[in-house]
Amino acid sequence: MAINRNFFFDHARLGLFGGKMSSSQVSGITLILDKWEHEMPKADDRWLAYMFGTAHHETGRTMQPVRETFASTDAQAIKILDKAFAAGKLPWVKERYWQLDPQGISWLGRGFVQLTHKANYLKMAALTDPNLATNPSLAMNTATAADIMFKGMDKGSFTGAKLGDFFSGAKEKWREARRIINGLERADLVAAYGKQYYACLSYTTG
């Protein structure tokens, strides 16, 4: 069944974007819808809803790939992260993965989901764009970012947990699905977004 996009956008605009969406928000959502209908049209719609909910949270509802801290440049993001780390505001961080490596590359978070650490970029390079292995900034490309999100959440490449572990048949665990990305950090909030997106997907055509 095809997604009724008029219904989807009308309800998303009101319920998730305060009644107004920018052209970049629309284009980001459209890219994800197009990818879903092209690559996974028969998969569980709850998967798509939870991916939307995740992207909504991780991108600050811009629905475009972002850098960690929402900085406009790597240098700015590194500065913000260094300051937060020094102030003890990142207690879960054991190593400053965002600092420039010997090749002058930062492996900070980027994308629709925050892909961090060189090892994770290398893992996703093998599944998506091989050039990510040497140029992590490609995760800021919308098509690449969407590919990373789809494959990472479908296959469990981020944490070992995958969409099928939480949404399958009668199984529906919106809160626990946050483990796909980052433990239970902001799990209730992301679950709420996912459920709202699922409501937007509830009317299909043809």
Side-chain angles (χ1 to χ4, degrees):
M1 302 290 283
I3 295 167
N4 184 318
R5 299 201 183 193
N6 288 334
F7 180 93
F8 177 91
F9 278 106
D10 285 347
H11 285 73
R13 184 178 294 108
L14 290 174
L16 287 149
F17 294 92
K20 184 178 181 180
M21 296 173 72
S22 68
S23 59
S24 62
Q25 287 169 327
V26 171
S27 66
I29 289 173
T30 298
L31 181 144
I32 293 170
L33 288 171
D34 288 346
K35 186 175 182 66
W36 175 265
E37 290 191 327
H38 178 69
E39 298 181 6
M40 305 176 70
K42 296 183 179 180
D44 193 320
D45 282 354
R46 292 171 298 182
W47 293 15
L48 175 59
Y50 195 77
M51 283 195 286
F52 269 129
T54 297
H56 191 96
H57 173 65
E58 298 279 320
T59 71
R61 82 174 198 168
T62 65
M63 306 312 287
Q64 291 289 325
V66 297
R67 286 181 183 80
E68 194 170 1
T69 77
F70 301 103
S72 58
T73 66
D74 286 357
Q76 183 182 7
I78 291 169
K79 184 176 181 180
I80 293 170
L81 288 165
D82 276 337
K83 183 177 181 180
F85 184 79
K89 295 180 179 179
L90 306 174
W92 59 89
V93 176
K94 296 180 179 179
E95 61 172 303
R96 290 183 287 177
Y97 56 84
W98 55 83
Q99 289 196 319
L100 298 179
D101 68 11
Q103 287 71 48
I105 297 172
S106 172
W107 303 93
L108 54 78
R110 301 176 181 87
F112 282 120
V113 297
Q114 294 297 291
L115 184 63
T116 60
H117 293 84
K118 183 175 182 178
N120 291 326
Y121 275 95
L122 296 179
K123 184 187 301 182
M124 294 313 300
L127 294 173
T128 60
D129 183 350
N131 293 309
L132 276 171
T134 55
N135 184 8
S137 292
L138 291 173
M140 293 293 289
N141 174 275
T142 52
T144 302
D147 209 17
I148 290 169
M149 180 173 70
F150 271 63
K151 289 187 170 64
M153 295 183 74
D154 178 21
K155 298 179 181 299
S157 303
F158 300 134
T159 65
K162 59 184 182 295
L163 288 162
D165 295 336
F166 306 99
F167 304 103
S168 178
K171 184 189 299 182
E172 187 171 288
K173 297 183 176 181
W174 293 95
R175 182 175 187 273
E176 291 79 3
R178 184 62 177 160
R179 297 186 188 279
I180 298 169
I181 304 295
N182 191 16
L184 291 177
E185 178 266 342
R186 306 306 293 276
D188 291 322
L189 178 62
V190 179
Y193 290 148
K195 290 176 183 178
Q196 285 181 281
Y197 275 104
Y198 189 47
C200 297
L201 292 166
S202 65
Y203 189 80
T204 58
T205 58

